[in-house]
Amino acid sequence: MAAIIGRKVGMTQIFAEDGQRVSLTVIEAGPCPVVQVKTAERDGYSAVQLGFGAAKPKHVNKPEQGHLNKAGVPLMRHLHEFSADDLGAGEVAEGQMITVDSFIPGSYVKVTGTSKGKGYAGTIKRHNFKRGPKSHGSHNIRQPGSIGAAAYPARVFKGIRMAGHMGARQVTQRGLQVVDCDPGRNLLLVKGAVPGSVGSIVFVRPD
């Protein structure tokens, strides 16, 4: 099993042998060159850095260009570090390509992405609060209600669920089963939905 960087293409479906409909997410994963292998002796921790997405020189600054040239890999738009446990720091070398061939159909992965931004949202949409009564002159239909006591502690505790910016956060969906791989088109098909909008960058790791 390996880890890889990909781009969410969208969702589709297949029908199993028993006729059940199975929802799938299509991820364009890799190929990802190994840019750097970090070790505990040299860097203080073990990790493997991968690149994804070809980039033009004008979109990559000079220090990052030197970093990529040192590894002998083409210019990459996205770089991400994975734990050595996900890829095996001793099993990969700089310049090596990680592809969807590393994933076995039937295995389970977890996918990390940035959730869709919903903007400023109230407590009902953001935290699933219940509404207040809608009759008898009630003015508390979609208000959050009480957020704390009055005389003591005379303040609002941190972490109280209130209205605010919703979405656009890093989310990890676990327990997704790999249904199929298409090495010719660099596609990875996983069962279920993954975080993020179509075209967003996701990180696939073994679960």
Side-chain angles (χ1 to χ4, degrees):
M1 181 61 73
I4 202 169
I5 308 173
R7 179 180 288 106
K8 181 177 177 180
V9 176
M11 295 195 70
T12 185
Q13 62 185 13
I14 61 172
F15 291 91
E17 295 180 356
D18 57 357
Q20 291 290 326
R21 181 175 63 89
V22 180
S23 298
L24 302 177
T25 299
V26 182
I27 301 174
E28 180 189 353
C32 295
V34 177
V35 178
Q36 186 179 11
V37 178
K38 297 190 174 183
T39 60
E41 296 77 15
R42 185 184 61 210
D43 304 291
Y45 65 100
S46 298
V48 178
Q49 186 183 74
L50 300 183
F52 175 73
K56 296 180 180 179
K58 66 178 181 179
H59 293 146
V60 183
N61 58 35
K62 292 295 180 65
E64 195 165 302
Q65 287 186 27
H67 176 63
L68 293 167
N69 292 333
K70 181 181 178 181
V73 300
L75 298 183
M76 296 280 108
R77 184 175 291 272
H78 305 283
L79 297 178
H80 187 75
E81 283 189 4
F82 293 93
S83 170
D85 297 333
D86 296 334
L87 275 160
E91 302 174 4
V92 296
E94 293 182 1
Q96 178 180 340
M97 283 290 180
I98 306 296
T99 65
V100 293
D101 287 332
S102 305
F103 294 87
I104 304 172
S107 59
Y108 287 87
V109 296
K110 53 187 176 184
V111 180
T112 301
T114 302
S115 61
K116 293 181 180 179
K118 305 294 185 180
Y120 189 92
T123 52
I124 291 178
K125 180 178 179 181
R126 192 183 186 204
H127 300 296
N128 298 317
F129 277 23
K130 291 185 178 180
R131 295 189 303 177
K134 299 179 66 175
S135 61
H136 299 287
S138 171
H139 297 286
N140 185 27
I141 298 177
R142 293 182 70 92
Q143 276 70 23
S146 174
I147 59 174
Y152 179 83
R155 64 187 178 89
V156 178
F157 287 113
K158 291 182 178 180
I160 295 295
R161 294 178 297 170
M162 301 174 72
H165 188 83
M166 181 179 178
R169 301 179 61 183
Q170 180 174 288
V171 180
T172 299
Q173 182 66 46
R174 302 189 61 178
L176 299 173
Q177 187 178 24
V178 176
V179 176
D180 196 9
C181 302
D182 187 349
R185 294 186 292 174
N186 298 316
L187 296 181
L188 188 66
L189 278 68
V190 298
K191 184 178 179 180
V194 304
S197 59
V198 172
S200 61
I201 297 299
V202 295
F203 309 109
V204 184
R205 293 170 292 161
D207 195 5

